[in-house]
Amino acid sequence: MNIFRLAGDMTHLASVLVLLLKIHTIKSCAGVSLKTQELYAIVFTTRYLDIFTDFISLYNTVMKLIFLGSSYSIVWYIRRHKIVRRSYDKNQDTFRHLFLILPCFVLALLINEKLTFKEVMWTFSLYLEAVAILPQLVLLQRTKNIDNLTGQYVFLLGAYRALYIVNWIYRYFTEPHFVHWITWISGLVQTLLYADFFYYYFQSWKNNQKLQLPA
Protein backbone atom coordinates (compact mmCIF):
# COMPACT_ATOMS: atom_id res chain seq x y z
CA MET A 1 0.00 0.00 0.00
CA ASN A 2 1.23 3.49 -0.86
CA ILE A 3 -0.32 6.95 -0.90
CA PHE A 4 -1.21 6.76 -4.60
CA ARG A 5 -3.05 3.46 -4.32
CA LEU A 6 -4.84 4.64 -1.18
CA ALA A 7 -5.86 7.85 -2.96
CA GLY A 8 -7.08 5.76 -5.90
CA ASP A 9 -9.13 3.49 -3.64
CA MET A 10 -10.65 6.43 -1.78
CA THR A 11 -11.49 8.19 -5.06
CA HIS A 12 -13.12 5.02 -6.35
CA LEU A 13 -15.09 4.72 -3.12
CA ALA A 14 -16.09 8.39 -3.34
CA SER A 15 -17.44 7.86 -6.87
CA VAL A 16 -19.70 5.07 -5.65
CA LEU A 17 -20.87 7.11 -2.65
CA VAL A 18 -21.68 10.08 -4.89
CA LEU A 19 -23.81 7.90 -7.14
CA LEU A 20 -25.57 6.21 -4.23
CA LEU A 21 -26.15 9.64 -2.66
CA LYS A 22 -27.84 10.83 -5.82
CA ILE A 23 -30.01 7.75 -6.22
CA HIS A 24 -30.95 7.34 -2.55
CA THR A 25 -31.57 10.98 -1.57
CA ILE A 26 -32.89 12.48 -4.81
CA LYS A 27 -34.62 9.24 -5.83
CA SER A 28 -33.42 9.74 -9.38
CA CYS A 29 -31.09 7.89 -11.73
CA ALA A 30 -31.41 10.40 -14.56
CA GLY A 31 -28.25 10.43 -16.65
CA VAL A 32 -27.00 7.15 -15.16
CA SER A 33 -26.42 4.22 -17.50
CA LEU A 34 -27.86 0.94 -16.24
CA LYS A 35 -25.73 -0.81 -18.88
CA THR A 36 -22.51 0.49 -17.32
CA GLN A 37 -23.68 -0.43 -13.81
CA GLU A 38 -24.49 -3.98 -14.93
CA LEU A 39 -21.03 -4.29 -16.47
CA TYR A 40 -19.43 -3.12 -13.22
CA ALA A 41 -21.46 -5.71 -11.29
CA ILE A 42 -19.99 -8.38 -13.59
CA VAL A 43 -16.50 -6.87 -13.22
CA PHE A 44 -16.54 -7.02 -9.42
CA THR A 45 -18.17 -10.47 -9.31
CA THR A 46 -15.54 -12.06 -11.54
CA ARG A 47 -12.63 -10.16 -9.96
CA TYR A 48 -13.46 -10.99 -6.36
CA LEU A 49 -14.08 -14.72 -6.65
CA ASP A 50 -11.34 -15.20 -4.06
CA ILE A 51 -13.11 -13.15 -1.38
CA PHE A 52 -14.06 -16.21 0.70
CA THR A 53 -10.97 -18.31 -0.05
CA ASP A 54 -7.92 -16.02 0.06
CA PHE A 55 -7.63 -13.55 2.94
CA ILE A 56 -5.22 -10.70 2.23
CA SER A 57 -6.21 -8.11 4.80
CA LEU A 58 -9.28 -6.73 6.54
CA TYR A 59 -9.01 -3.58 4.40
CA ASN A 60 -8.93 -5.64 1.21
CA THR A 61 -11.95 -7.74 2.21
CA VAL A 62 -14.02 -4.74 3.30
CA MET A 63 -13.32 -2.86 0.07
CA LYS A 64 -14.30 -5.91 -2.00
CA LEU A 65 -17.58 -6.25 -0.09
CA ILE A 66 -18.32 -2.54 -0.51
CA PHE A 67 -17.83 -2.59 -4.27
CA LEU A 68 -19.78 -5.81 -4.70
CA GLY A 69 -22.65 -4.64 -2.53
CA SER A 70 -22.81 -1.14 -4.00
CA SER A 71 -22.75 -2.32 -7.62
CA TYR A 72 -25.67 -4.70 -7.11
CA SER A 73 -27.52 -2.11 -5.03
CA ILE A 74 -27.28 0.45 -7.83
CA VAL A 75 -28.53 -2.06 -10.41
CA TRP A 76 -31.41 -2.98 -8.09
CA TYR A 77 -32.35 0.66 -7.54
CA ILE A 78 -32.47 1.39 -11.28
CA ARG A 79 -34.33 -1.80 -12.18
CA ARG A 80 -36.65 -2.34 -9.21
CA HIS A 81 -37.12 0.72 -7.00
CA LYS A 82 -40.63 1.96 -7.68
CA ILE A 83 -39.61 5.65 -7.72
CA VAL A 84 -36.01 5.58 -8.98
CA ARG A 85 -36.75 3.39 -11.99
CA ARG A 86 -39.19 5.98 -13.36
CA SER A 87 -36.32 8.39 -14.00
CA TYR A 88 -34.28 5.85 -15.97
CA ASP A 89 -34.12 6.89 -19.62
CA LYS A 90 -34.20 3.53 -21.38
CA ASN A 91 -34.63 5.14 -24.79
CA GLN A 92 -31.30 6.97 -24.48
CA ASP A 93 -29.33 4.20 -22.77
CA THR A 94 -29.21 1.96 -25.83
CA PHE A 95 -25.52 0.96 -26.00
CA ARG A 96 -25.38 -2.80 -26.70
CA HIS A 97 -23.23 -3.58 -23.68
CA LEU A 98 -23.64 -7.35 -23.96
CA PHE A 99 -21.48 -7.26 -27.09
CA LEU A 100 -18.57 -6.09 -24.92
CA ILE A 101 -18.68 -9.15 -22.69
CA LEU A 102 -17.90 -11.93 -25.20
CA PRO A 103 -14.86 -10.24 -26.83
CA CYS A 104 -13.42 -9.48 -23.38
CA PHE A 105 -13.92 -13.09 -22.29
CA VAL A 106 -12.33 -14.48 -25.46
CA LEU A 107 -9.40 -12.09 -25.04
CA ALA A 108 -8.99 -13.25 -21.43
CA LEU A 109 -8.83 -16.87 -22.62
CA LEU A 110 -6.18 -15.99 -25.19
CA ILE A 111 -4.09 -13.47 -23.22
CA ASN A 112 -3.61 -14.17 -19.52
CA GLU A 113 -0.82 -14.80 -17.05
CA LYS A 114 -2.00 -18.30 -16.14
CA LEU A 115 -4.70 -20.49 -17.70
CA THR A 116 -6.73 -21.21 -14.58
CA PHE A 117 -10.37 -20.40 -13.85
CA LYS A 118 -9.67 -17.66 -11.29
CA GLU A 119 -6.91 -16.12 -13.36
CA VAL A 120 -9.01 -16.03 -16.52
CA MET A 121 -11.93 -14.48 -14.62
CA TRP A 122 -9.62 -11.90 -13.05
CA THR A 123 -8.14 -11.03 -16.44
CA PHE A 124 -11.63 -10.87 -17.96
CA SER A 125 -12.64 -8.38 -15.25
CA LEU A 126 -9.69 -6.14 -16.20
CA TYR A 127 -10.60 -6.15 -19.88
CA LEU A 128 -14.28 -5.56 -19.17
CA GLU A 129 -13.60 -2.75 -16.69
CA ALA A 130 -11.51 -1.00 -19.33
CA VAL A 131 -14.59 -0.56 -21.55
CA ALA A 132 -17.42 -0.65 -18.99
CA ILE A 133 -17.68 3.16 -18.93
CA LEU A 134 -18.54 3.34 -22.66
CA PRO A 135 -22.36 3.11 -22.24
CA GLN A 136 -22.20 5.86 -19.61
CA LEU A 137 -20.11 8.15 -21.82
CA VAL A 138 -22.42 7.59 -24.78
CA LEU A 139 -25.45 8.36 -22.61
CA LEU A 140 -23.83 11.60 -21.40
CA GLN A 141 -23.24 12.65 -25.00
CA ARG A 142 -26.94 12.18 -25.71
CA THR A 143 -28.04 13.95 -22.52
CA LYS A 144 -28.42 17.70 -22.84
CA ASN A 145 -28.65 18.30 -19.09
CA ILE A 146 -25.87 16.57 -17.12
CA ASP A 147 -26.42 17.16 -13.42
CA ASN A 148 -23.51 17.88 -11.07
CA LEU A 149 -23.63 14.57 -9.18
CA THR A 150 -23.54 12.47 -12.35
CA GLY A 151 -20.66 14.56 -13.69
CA GLN A 152 -18.77 14.19 -10.42
CA TYR A 153 -19.39 10.45 -10.39
CA VAL A 154 -17.82 9.97 -13.82
CA PHE A 155 -14.96 12.36 -13.02
CA LEU A 156 -14.11 10.47 -9.81
CA LEU A 157 -14.18 7.15 -11.69
CA GLY A 158 -11.69 8.48 -14.20
CA ALA A 159 -9.54 10.03 -11.47
CA TYR A 160 -9.41 6.70 -9.63
CA ARG A 161 -7.95 4.97 -12.65
CA ALA A 162 -5.48 7.80 -13.31
CA LEU A 163 -4.26 7.57 -9.70
CA TYR A 164 -3.79 3.84 -10.08
CA ILE A 165 -1.51 4.46 -13.06
CA VAL A 166 0.60 6.76 -10.86
CA ASN A 167 0.59 3.96 -8.26
CA TRP A 168 1.92 1.48 -10.85
CA ILE A 169 4.66 3.87 -11.93
CA TYR A 170 5.67 4.36 -8.30
CA ARG A 171 5.74 0.62 -7.64
CA TYR A 172 7.71 -0.04 -10.83
CA PHE A 173 10.54 2.16 -9.55
CA THR A 174 10.37 1.07 -5.90
CA GLU A 175 9.60 -2.66 -6.09
CA PRO A 176 11.83 -5.20 -7.85
CA HIS A 177 10.25 -7.26 -10.64
CA PHE A 178 6.98 -5.31 -10.57
CA VAL A 179 5.74 -5.87 -14.14
CA HIS A 180 2.06 -6.49 -14.96
CA TRP A 181 1.49 -5.71 -18.63
CA ILE A 182 -2.14 -6.87 -18.77
CA THR A 183 -3.12 -4.66 -15.83
CA TRP A 184 -1.14 -1.70 -17.15
CA ILE A 185 -2.48 -1.78 -20.70
CA SER A 186 -6.08 -2.31 -19.57
CA GLY A 187 -5.79 0.58 -17.12
CA LEU A 188 -4.24 2.84 -19.75
CA VAL A 189 -7.02 2.09 -22.25
CA GLN A 190 -9.62 2.78 -19.57
CA THR A 191 -8.02 6.11 -18.65
CA LEU A 192 -7.76 7.21 -22.28
CA LEU A 193 -11.52 6.71 -22.69
CA TYR A 194 -12.01 9.44 -20.09
CA ALA A 195 -9.74 11.95 -21.82
CA ASP A 196 -12.51 13.69 -23.77
CA PHE A 197 -14.76 13.83 -20.71
CA PHE A 198 -11.95 15.27 -18.56
CA TYR A 199 -11.38 18.03 -21.10
CA TYR A 200 -15.02 19.18 -21.11
CA TYR A 201 -15.35 18.69 -17.36
CA PHE A 202 -12.46 21.05 -16.66
CA GLN A 203 -13.70 23.48 -19.31
CA SER A 204 -17.10 23.65 -17.63
CA TRP A 205 -15.47 24.09 -14.21
CA LYS A 206 -13.09 26.78 -15.49
CA ASN A 207 -15.85 28.77 -17.21
CA ASN A 208 -18.45 28.05 -14.50
CA GLN A 209 -20.79 26.55 -17.08
CA LYS A 210 -23.07 23.55 -17.17
CA LEU A 211 -21.25 20.37 -18.20
CA GLN A 212 -22.21 19.29 -21.70
CA LEU A 213 -20.47 16.85 -24.02
CA PRO A 214 -20.50 17.28 -27.81
CA ALA A 215 -22.89 14.94 -29.63
Side-chain angles (χ1 to χ4, degrees):
M1 179 65 69
N2 59 68
I3 188 62
F4 303 113
R5 178 180 174 181
L6 181 61
D9 286 348
M10 293 302 104
T11 304
H12 194 185
L13 180 60
S15 71
V16 173
L17 293 177
V18 164
L19 185 55
L20 283 172
L21 176 68
K22 169 182 174 167
I23 293 175
H24 183 71
T25 59
I26 306 177
K27 296 294 186 293
S28 171
C29 63
V32 178
S33 170
L34 172 61
K35 308 295 180 66
T36 283
Q37 299 308 317
E38 289 176 338
L39 290 177
Y40 278 131
I42 296 172
V43 165
F44 295 132
T45 300
T46 53
R47 181 171 301 173
Y48 300 148
L49 291 173
D50 63 346
I51 191 170
F52 298 113
T53 59
D54 302 318
F55 180 79
I56 298 174
S57 68
L58 180 61
Y59 171 85
N60 182 272
T61 300
V62 169
M63 292 297 282
K64 287 177 179 179
L65 289 172
I66 288 174
F67 290 124
L68 277 168
S70 61
S71 63
Y72 280 98
S73 295
I74 293 168
V75 171
W76 179 85
Y77 263 111
I78 299 175
R79 281 191 170 274
R80 300 297 181 187
H81 194 279
K82 61 181 180 179
I83 298 176
V84 174
R85 68 182 183 182
R86 295 175 190 167
S87 59
Y88 173 56
D89 194 347
K90 184 177 181 180
N91 294 326
Q92 294 288 346
D93 191 23
T94 57
F95 192 101
R96 297 191 176 186
H97 65 316
L98 297 179
F99 287 103
L100 295 174
I101 297 174
L102 182 59
C104 289
F105 181 71
V106 172
L107 189 60
L109 286 173
L110 297 175
I111 305 176
N112 54 70
E113 293 184 358
K114 188 189 299 182
L115 194 58
T116 64
F117 177 74
K118 281 187 180 180
E119 188 67 28
V120 170
M121 289 296 99
W122 179 80
T123 307
F124 165 70
S125 77
L126 293 179
Y127 295 150
L128 189 60
E129 186 184 17
V131 295
I133 196 61
L134 282 175
Q136 180 65 67
L137 293 176
V138 170
L139 178 60
L140 290 183
Q141 285 183 320
R142 296 172 177 174
T143 304
K144 299 300 180 182
N145 185 23
I146 303 174
D147 64 85
N148 289 332
L149 288 177
T150 303
Q152 289 171 11
Y153 162 69
V154 177
F155 172 77
L156 288 168
L157 266 183
Y160 133 72
R161 182 47 68 188
L163 285 167
Y164 252 67
I165 289 179
V166 178
N167 159 59
W168 296 332
I169 294 172
Y170 173 82
R171 293 183 65 183
Y172 177 78
F173 287 105
T174 58
E175 298 180 19
H177 313 298
F178 181 74
V179 178
H180 296 283
W181 288 109
I182 292 176
T183 305
W184 294 351
I185 294 173
S186 299
L188 182 60
V189 169
Q190 184 179 355
T191 306
L192 289 174
L193 290 178
Y194 287 92
D196 195 53
F197 175 85
F198 281 154
Y199 172 78
Y200 288 101
Y201 184 90
F202 283 117
Q203 285 293 107
S204 68
W205 174 78
K206 177 182 176 182
N207 299 320
N208 196 26
Q209 296 176 342
K210 194 77 173 178
L211 175 62
Q212 188 171 344
L213 302 184

